[in-house]
Amino acid sequence: KAGVTQTPRYLIKTRGQQVTLSCSPISGHRSVSWYQQTPGQGLQFLFEYFSETQRNKGNFPGRFSGRQFSNSRSEMNVSTLELGDSALYLCASSFEGFEAFFGQGTRLTVV
Amino acid sequence: KQEVTQIPAALSVPEGENLVLNCSFTDSAIYNLQWFRQDPGKGLTSLLLIQSSQREQTSGRLNASLDKSSGRSTLYIAASQPGDSATYLCAVLNAGGTSYGKLTFGQGTILTVHP
């Protein structure tokens, strides 16, 4: 079956702009989580959605937001981009909290 | 607050060696523990999942054990190959409603297997 799909794979944005990243989970998975990965901080949890509801949120500023649609696809948005937002953003889907499957990530570069 | 530590941070071994990667966590109230592999610039590939009630899981040359009471897990790789070179990450999912979908990761072990 198809895995987790993230689009786009690469993005270059300018400081102050906003960006939207997309994640399509494995068919049948209703839980989608987002993570930020940087060399200094490692993998950090952003938020989790289940059946269109945000159930959990990490310690990130309000510039980071997300949503989930009825087909379980999820988007995350970062507004007013800062240089420090440059990172690999990873999405994971799971079936009711069991094994998590990750996408290939979106590499965001802020210049 | 859950904290996950992986030792060693880096490991370089000749092909064919058996090796052990270590993971420790501070809060034993976990739902499951997962080992991942990450190649440079890529996403995470799930290797093994151990539920909190299990003691070990095996997949091919990989074996992972879990000692929840002591807060430890080990990943054993038998007969290592150059293709095993990658970063290995350990992650735990805490039990409880406040931990929905939130994996806590270690910093990873960078493994290099040379021919």
Side-chain angles (χ1 to χ4, degrees):
Chain A
K1 56 184 177 181
V4 179
T5 303
Q6 291 188 245
T7 57
R9 291 292 312 280
Y10 303 93
L11 269 178
I12 301 175
K13 290 287 187 178
T14 304
R15 275 179 299 174
Q17 288 186 315
Q18 74 166 18
V19 67
T20 299
L21 312 182
S22 179
C23 173
S24 294
I26 292 171
S27 178
H29 287 189
R30 293 189 293 169
S31 171
V32 174
S33 297
W34 288 89
Y35 294 84
Q36 180 195 67
Q37 186 178 30
T38 58
Q41 297 297 316
L43 276 148
Q44 293 188 290
F45 172 77
L46 282 157
F47 28 66
E48 187 258 4
Y49 286 86
F50 184 87
S51 293
E52 302 180 67
T53 300
Q54 185 183 86
R55 295 196 300 185
N56 205 355
K57 189 177 188 302
N59 296 323
F60 278 82
R63 300 185 297 107
F64 292 81
S65 62
R67 59 178 175 169
Q68 186 179 35
F69 302 95
S70 59
N71 62 358
S72 293
R73 188 178 71 87
S74 178
E75 290 181 346
M76 68 163 281
N77 184 78
V78 187
S79 62
T80 319
L81 284 165
E82 302 176 358
L83 294 178
D85 297 333
S86 294
L88 180 66
Y89 290 88
L90 292 161
C91 158
S93 78
S94 70
F95 179 73
E96 305 286 352
F98 293 137
E99 187 171 7
F101 295 89
F102 281 78
Q104 288 298 301
T106 294
R107 170 73 63 185
L108 172 64
T109 302
V110 183
V111 298
Chain B
K1 176 188 172 187
Q2 180 71 272
E3 293 182 0
V4 179
T5 303
Q6 291 187 244
I7 294 173
L11 187 60
S12 180
V13 300
E15 182 177 5
E17 273 204 7
N18 301 324
L19 49 98
V20 175
L21 308 182
N22 296 290
C23 171
S24 61
F25 46 95
T26 55
D27 184 353
S28 62
I30 65 170
Y31 185 72
N32 62 40
L33 182 145
Q34 220 169 328
W35 283 93
F36 294 91
R37 167 192 173 132
Q38 186 176 32
D39 294 292
K42 305 287 187 178
L44 277 61
T45 300
S46 179
L47 298 173
L48 289 164
L49 170 77
I50 310 178
Q51 299 288 356
S52 62
S53 58
Q54 298 175 319
R55 295 302 300 264
E56 68 177 320
Q57 282 286 344
T58 298
S59 176
R61 294 182 294 109
L62 305 179
N63 175 276
S65 66
L66 173 65
D67 185 341
K68 200 172 71 163
S69 61
S70 67
R72 294 181 181 182
S73 176
T74 61
L75 178 66
Y76 176 83
I77 303 177
S80 58
Q81 304 170 357
D84 294 330
S85 299
T87 297
Y88 290 79
L89 292 153
C90 164
V92 298
L93 181 67
N94 271 39
T98 60
S99 302
Y100 288 125
K102 179 183 176 181
L103 287 169
T104 302
F105 284 86
Q107 290 295 314
T109 294
I110 301 172
L111 173 65
T112 303
V113 182
H114 47 88

